[in-house]
Amino acid sequence: MRKVIAFLFVFCLLFAATAHAQEDVKVGVVSLGRVLMESEPGKKAQAELRRSLQPERDRIAEQDKALQSEMEELKKQAAVLSQDAKKEKLTAYQRKVYEHSNKMQQFQQKVAEEEERVLNPLKEKLVEIIQKYGQENKFDLILTDVSGGVVWASKRIDVTPDIMQRFNAAF
């Protein structure tokens, strides 16, 4: 009986110590997307991306409109064209659509590469700032909202404004 009581007593002490330790855990959450979108360096990076990609984006939009106009013209002419002429024009149109689709895929890849080129240095600096902030403020854990890791967090543990302030100051 004494062994059981002693075991329960030790168990209660361990449980109390664990519960007490959990109360002292300091956790924070930072929205990386918000920092990258709303901070001064992030806004500059976005402006650079828009500036560098806009001419090609405009060309693709023009090609889209031209293809739509061509399709409308084909529909209008369908009744008066011979079967062979319709087939020939449709084949030419499909070739243009295929080429346009390839250009769009290449552009999307270029966008991804440009984003990586422009944003990766910012992300690296941001991680350094978060790590330093966590150490200075004695956080046990700082989570990010990237990749759905955090579904919801209380404003009480949101350190995004502090991180954004330090990020702005770093540039």
Side-chain angles (χ1 to χ4, degrees):
M1 184 70 167
R2 285 186 189 170
K3 288 183 180 181
V4 172
I5 293 174
F7 175 76
L8 287 174
F9 179 74
V10 170
F11 180 77
C12 288
L13 285 176
L14 287 173
F15 181 77
T18 304
H20 178 69
Q22 289 176 347
E23 290 175 15
D24 295 333
V25 173
K26 190 170 181 182
V27 177
V29 176
V30 64
S31 172
L32 294 181
R34 194 170 130 213
V35 172
L36 289 173
M37 297 295 284
E38 296 176 10
S39 67
E40 290 306 314
K43 289 177 182 177
K44 287 178 184 175
Q46 291 170 41
E48 179 184 336
L49 285 170
R50 275 192 300 275
R51 210 175 20 258
S52 69
L53 298 171
Q54 196 60 45
E56 195 165 348
R57 187 173 279 132
D58 291 344
R59 276 194 297 278
I60 288 174
E62 286 175 22
Q63 290 172 349
D64 259 349
K65 288 179 184 177
L67 285 171
Q68 289 174 354
S69 297
E70 189 172 337
M71 178 49 91
E72 290 172 11
E73 191 64 30
L74 277 171
K75 287 178 182 179
K76 288 178 186 176
Q77 294 176 353
V80 295
L81 291 174
S82 69
Q83 200 67 8
D84 289 338
K86 273 195 262 185
K87 185 177 179 181
E88 186 178 312
K89 286 193 176 223
L90 188 59
T91 301
Y93 174 76
Q94 288 172 337
R95 189 175 311 115
K96 289 178 186 177
V97 168
Y98 178 75
E99 289 170 1
H100 181 67
S101 176
N102 284 341
K103 286 180 185 176
M104 288 196 50
Q105 286 177 345
Q106 291 170 352
F107 178 67
Q108 288 172 345
Q109 185 171 350
K110 181 179 178 180
V111 167
E113 290 169 357
E114 281 294 299
E115 284 179 347
E116 186 174 325
R117 180 187 67 79
V118 171
L119 295 178
N120 270 358
L122 294 179
K123 290 177 182 177
E124 290 172 5
K125 183 66 174 174
L126 184 55
V127 167
E128 289 175 22
I129 289 169
I130 293 169
Q131 290 172 341
K132 186 175 180 183
Y133 178 84
Q135 291 169 352
E136 288 174 359
N137 293 283
K138 296 182 173 74
F139 276 85
D140 296 301
L141 177 68
I142 296 181
L143 302 169
T144 67
D145 61 354
V146 176
S147 302
V150 175
V151 178
W152 179 87
S154 167
K155 292 285 185 197
R156 188 170 49 92
I157 64 170
D158 186 7
V159 296
T160 303
D162 295 337
I163 297 299
M164 193 174 318
Q165 183 180 19
R166 287 177 178 227
F167 190 60
N168 284 332
F171 286 89

